[in-house]
Every structure is written in C-alpha cells, then in structure tokens.
Amino acid sequence: MTTFNPGTGGTLNSTTVEAAFMEACQLLQNEERAIEELTNNIAVNYFTGDNVVQVSGTFPLVQSVDVTTGKSSFSTSEFITTTFANGGGDLKSTNLPNAVLELALTLQVLEKTQADAPNNVQITYDTEAELITIAAENPIEFSLNTDGSAKISAIPYLA
C-alpha cells in the first residue's frame, strides 16, 4: 500500500496515493461541471462489472527550461479556478489541476520502480501541441453505506 499524508486542513482526505488520485480527479470533474462555461478536460468513469475507475484527462501544458541548470519543467495551468488547499502533507501542488498531474506522476513513478506492478497510469507530454494527456485505469471496490448509498473506494495496487 502506498501511503499518502494529506496534511492538515487540506482539500484531500485520502491516505493512499491511489485513493488521493481518484479523489482529486473526481473533485476536478465536479468543479468542471459546476462552472458556467463548459470545460471538459477530465472524465472519470466507474465500471461496476470490471471494478475499475478510468480517468482520461487532457490539460494545457506549461513548459519551461531553467536557464541556470538546463532542467526542463512541465506542469499544467490552473485552467479552472477552484478552492484548493494542499494541507502541507505529501502533496506540493497548490491548485487542483496540478495536484491531479502530481498524483498521476507519483503513481507512474511508483509503477516503474516496482518490478511486478501493472502499468495503470500513462502520461504523455506533447510539447508541440502544448498538451498533457493522462490515461489511467485503477482498481476499485463498491460497497453500501448504512443508509443504502453506494460507496466507491480505491484499491491500493502498489507496495
């Protein structure tokens, strides 16, 4: 299980990276739906038959090169303004779109460092089109709360 420290008073409450990623993606999709202008940069779909959540996102790419070190940097813009607090835990991003990207990248790096881990998260940086594409399919489980409402939980798949 990949633990995640959400910090104190932050927007995210999850305690695993897998769950924090799903939570951030769902929050971003909810925020997109709530604004007047149609923004559809992320889609989060839950499949009960396969017990997976599929995330598909295309974000504007912000790229730069540090003139001192020559290191490249890729992020996304705050293409949607939301109330977001990182809580001072593991997350360093200060806006929700970058938090989604940071968590996706964290999962991708963890997948690559573990020999038996599946390749559930793919990130593509298109510097010419200035787009970042995220595609993910992660395991989930469904249960019912005591009031009968459905509950969806991310299943940790990384050690």
Side-chain angles (χ1 to χ4, degrees), residues 34-63:
I35 63 173
E36 289 181 20
E37 63 186 60
L38 182 59
T39 304
N40 193 19
N41 291 359
I42 192 165
V44 182
N45 296 294
Y46 302 94
F47 295 93
T48 58
D50 295 332
N51 286 337
V52 296
V53 57
Q54 289 180 344
V55 175
S56 176
T58 303
F59 303 157
L61 170 67
V62 177
Q63 56 187 328

Side-chain angles (χ1 to χ4, degrees), residues 7-8 27 33 50 55 62 69 78-79 91-92 107 117 143 145 150 154:
T8 305
L27 286 170
R33 287 183 179 155
D50 295 332
V55 175
V62 177
T69 65
E78 190 174 2
F79 57 83
L91 196 62
K92 303 304 178 212
L107 286 173
S143 59
N145 291 314

Side-chain angles (χ1 to χ4, degrees), residues 1-4 15-18 110 114 154-159:
M1 172 172 31
T2 54
T3 60
F4 176 77
T15 57
T16 67
V17 177
E18 297 92 339
L110 289 168
Q114 296 177 19
I155 297 175
Y157 65 95
L158 298 165

Side-chain angles (χ1 to χ4, degrees), residues 22-104:
M22 185 175 79
E23 181 183 6
C25 290
Q26 187 62 58
L27 286 170
L28 183 56
Q29 181 173 297
N30 291 352
E31 291 291 334
E32 284 186 343
R33 287 183 179 155
I35 63 173
E36 289 181 20
E37 63 186 60
L38 182 59
T39 304
N40 193 19
N41 291 359
I42 192 165
V44 182
N45 296 294
Y46 302 94
F47 295 93
T48 58
D50 295 332
N51 286 337
V52 296
V53 57
Q54 289 180 344
V55 175
S56 176
T58 303
F59 303 157
L61 170 67
V62 177
Q63 56 187 328
S64 63
V65 177
D66 186 303
V67 294
T68 305
T69 65
K71 289 185 179 182
S72 301
S73 174
F74 301 102
S75 63
T76 187
S77 64
E78 190 174 2
F79 57 83
I80 184 170
T81 304
T82 63
T83 302
F84 181 80
N86 74 8
D90 292 339
L91 196 62
K92 303 304 178 212
S93 297
T94 58
N95 65 60
L96 187 53
N98 269 309
V100 168
L101 178 59
E102 180 182 344
L103 290 163

